Amino acid sequence: MALPTLRIIGFILGIFLITLAIGMVLPMLTLVIYEHSHEIESFVWASMITLSAGIALILPGRPEQVQLRPRDMYLLTTASWVIVCVFAALPLNLLQNISYTDAFFETMSGITTTGSTVLSGLDSASPGLLMWRSMQQWLGGIGFIGMAVAILPLLRVGGMRLFQTESSDWSEKVMPRSHMVAKYIVTIYVGFTLLGILAYRMSGMSWFDAINHSMTSISTGGYSTSDASMGKFGPAAHWVCIVLMVLGSLPFTLYVSTLRGNHQALLRDHQVRGFLLMLSLTCLLFGLWLWLHSDHRFLDALRIVTLNVVSVVSTTGYALGDYTQWGGIAVMLFFYLTFVGGCSGSTSGGLKIFRFQVAYVLLKASIRQLIHPRAVIKQQYNGHNLDEEIVRSILTFSFFFTITIGAVALGLSFIGLDLITALTGAATAVCNVGPGLGTIIGPAGNFASLPDAAKWLLSIGMLLGRLEIITVLVLLTPTFWKH
């Protein structure tokens, strides 16, 4: 890779680090407001180190007349996530006095909006620490949306090419310039966050809890200010949380279309309709089941089930009670839901609902072809033809998605974790969900007791899942570095 290309990548990374250093001012202000000024020193040191590294990267300057090729974006995308996590972990390492391994795990989980945590005692934790965790998820959420709508389709990575081709928001050209799309998306993201803060505050939360939970709800991240997660708050807050998680799971480019006058954009999209229908049926049927098998009133059962189901499907990771205590059928259902995910171009992780829809289209076409061997059967999704490239892309991603989970689970088993912890830990990391299953990493536990090697392996799994796997794997091929 040419030196000018590495310089421009370094320049961009420097800008990211300077922005991250400036972002540390908000937790500092939080510490001042809540009279924890003695804890500011940790953020000051972390900010200075991050700022110095950013300035060092931009000092050589931006090379003139050098444009990043699509292949260069693989390195930039992966490097930006890793480098930002390396420095964003510093405040946790300095303030919380935890090992750098735990700090990096917590940060990777935050910025990839996974929501797995090694921290406990959150109800009495430093307000600056809680604010920084929430900010990590909020920044990671908007960062992934930007990558999903601007970079991954260009790279034709992991099925995102399908999103570019199939979604009406791209094929009909939402905006003539991509930077205008980005401005609209940021405005919508900030707007949802502010509305969430007000709604949480009206539901009975304090301003501090409302700000933190709004950031981690719209980003489908799941970090809470309490060890009890959403169990600390009342029913009104639960419904606010559900709405925000659903909003964060829908394609943000369709929000742009709606703002620009195409008011049917969301309702006409097959992906959105499939996602909402799946959520509605799952929550209603599971709510009925819980009502019949517990002492809850129907509306309470529906609320509890809906929050937990939406949290897992949207890969947010909030918990309302320990659903693993509901019986084997509930455990199995939540394990299946771990893989689903939200819509493409949203803040959620997982396989994404459109891949299941396309798989159904392909299955239906294959069955019809068996019945009518000579027939020419059109395969369409969302009003567009499914060509060979799209089918190959989705099959490739789905294959490596499964292989990655299996490889991480095998690695965790080799480290010494039991079957349930290894398998669900791998699944929740790659799907960016948060809690796993079992007594250790289930919704009532956390990841603190896992060996350091397991935390580093899970961090790699989170990164692979967030960046759609292929983006990272291509960097490991010798061919990538030869040209």
Side-chain angles (χ1 to χ4, degrees):
M1 187 169 287
L3 183 59
T5 300
L6 292 176
R7 277 183 58 193
I8 192 172
I9 290 175
F11 186 86
I12 295 171
L13 292 176
I15 293 175
F16 287 163
L17 290 182
I18 292 172
T19 304
L20 184 70
I22 295 172
M24 293 181 189
V25 172
L26 183 56
M28 294 183 204
L29 292 176
T30 304
L31 290 172
V32 172
I33 292 172
Y34 286 90
E35 299 180 352
H36 285 248
S37 300
H38 59 284
E39 298 174 345
I40 290 181
E41 183 179 357
S42 299
F43 278 99
V44 171
W45 276 109
S47 181
M48 289 177 61
I49 294 171
T50 305
L51 183 64
S52 300
I55 292 174
L57 286 172
I58 67 171
L59 276 180
R62 187 183 188 279
E64 296 294 333
Q65 299 179 339
V66 176
Q67 297 294 329
L68 288 177
R69 299 164 297 173
R71 66 186 305 274
D72 300 327
M73 299 294 259
Y74 290 104
L75 180 59
L76 174 60
T77 302
T78 304
S80 60
W81 241 262
V82 174
I83 295 299
V84 166
C85 286
V86 166
F87 286 90
L90 292 176
L92 278 72
N93 179 234
L94 297 173
L95 176 63
Q96 193 69 11
N97 197 27
I98 60 177
S99 69
Y100 187 78
T101 294
D102 282 353
F104 185 85
F105 176 90
E106 190 82 8
T107 300
M108 179 62 78
S109 176
I111 290 180
T112 58
T113 70
T114 301
S116 303
T117 184
V118 297
L119 301 181
S120 56
L122 297 177
D123 298 84
S124 58
S126 163
L129 172 70
L130 296 176
M131 181 63 70
W132 184 234
R133 292 168 79 241
S134 300
M135 282 186 63
Q136 289 175 358
Q137 294 200 325
W138 192 83
L139 292 172
I142 189 62
F144 180 70
I145 294 172
M147 183 184 71
V149 302
I151 297 177
L152 292 185
L154 178 67
L155 301 179
R156 304 185 180 189
V157 167
M160 289 307 297
R161 175 66 175 172
L162 173 63
F163 173 58
Q164 181 188 30
T165 303
E166 297 306 319
S167 181
S168 59
D169 47 359
W170 283 105
S171 59
E172 295 172 8
K173 296 183 178 179
V174 177
M175 301 283 288
R177 293 177 177 272
S178 59
H179 74 274
M180 290 301 294
V181 178
K183 287 182 180 179
Y184 267 77
I185 289 175
V186 170
T187 301
I188 293 167
Y189 192 74
V190 172
F192 281 157
T193 305
L194 294 176
L195 289 174
I197 293 172
L198 293 176
Y200 271 132
R201 182 70 181 96
M202 291 174 64
S203 74
M205 281 189 181
S206 67
W207 281 111
F208 180 76
D209 287 335
I211 292 170
N212 280 272
H213 284 88
S214 183
M215 287 195 289
T216 59
S217 296
I218 197 61
S219 64
T220 61
Y223 276 160
S224 179
T225 57
S226 171
D227 288 334
S229 191
M230 293 305 298
K232 177 183 177 180
F233 309 102
H238 299 163
W239 289 112
V240 172
C241 179
I242 291 166
V243 171
L244 287 174
M245 289 190 291
V246 171
L247 289 175
S249 301
L250 301 182
F252 273 70
T253 45
L254 290 183
Y255 292 136
V256 176
S257 293
T258 302
L259 278 183
R260 300 195 71 242
N262 185 6
H263 302 302
Q264 299 296 316
L266 282 166
L267 296 178
R268 288 178 180 173
D269 189 79
H270 289 194
Q271 185 180 202
V272 172
R273 287 189 294 179
F275 176 71
L276 295 178
L277 178 62
M278 182 275 297
L279 274 185
S280 300
L281 289 177
T282 303
C283 293
L284 180 59
L285 294 176
F286 199 14
L288 284 169
W289 178 87
L290 183 61
W291 174 52
L292 293 173
H293 292 82
S294 70
D295 296 329
H296 294 297
R297 295 181 303 171
F298 175 70
L299 288 179
D300 288 336
L302 182 63
R303 169 177 52 83
I304 293 169
V305 162
T306 301
L307 192 146
N308 282 299
V309 167
V310 174
S311 176
V312 171
V313 172
S314 66
T315 69
T316 304
Y318 287 133
L320 182 55
D322 186 358
Y323 48 73
T324 61
Q325 302 299 314
W326 297 352
I329 188 172
V331 172
M332 189 58 68
L333 176 65
F334 278 109
F335 180 67
Y336 288 156
L337 292 176
T338 297
F339 298 93
V340 178
C343 300
S344 294
S346 70
T347 60
S348 64
L351 271 168
K352 305 293 194 306
I353 195 71
F354 79 88
R355 291 190 175 96
F356 292 93
Q357 292 175 310
V358 171
Y360 172 72
V361 171
L362 297 176
L363 175 63
K364 187 168 65 173
S366 298
I367 292 174
R368 290 180 62 190
Q369 195 75 62
L370 290 173
I371 299 172
H372 305 286
R374 298 180 181 274
V376 178
I377 299 172
K378 294 179 65 177
Q379 301 177 46
Q380 289 190 324
Y381 173 71
N382 223 14
H384 298 275
N385 293 327
L386 291 172
D387 58 30
E388 182 180 345
E389 179 188 358
I390 290 171
V391 174
R392 183 172 63 249
S393 174
I394 191 171
L395 289 177
T396 301
F397 174 82
S398 300
F399 174 77
F400 279 104
F401 185 88
T402 306
I403 290 296
T404 301
I405 292 176
V408 173
L410 185 63
L412 293 174
S413 297
F414 181 78
I415 291 170
L417 274 59
D418 63 88
L419 174 64
I420 297 297
T421 302
L423 181 58
T424 63
T428 195
V430 177
C431 295
N432 302 126
V433 173
L437 297 175
T439 56
I440 301 175
I441 61 171
N446 66 22
F447 291 71
S449 62
L450 300 187
D452 283 356
K455 293 170 185 173
W456 284 108
L457 184 55
L458 287 170
S459 296
I460 294 172
M462 294 178 206
L463 180 68
L464 287 169
R466 181 82 293 186
L467 300 187
E468 301 274 291
I469 298 175
I470 310 297
T471 309
V472 182
L473 293 184
V474 72
L475 300 180
L476 304 179
T477 60
T479 307
F480 176 84
W481 300 99
K482 286 181 180 178
H483 302 286

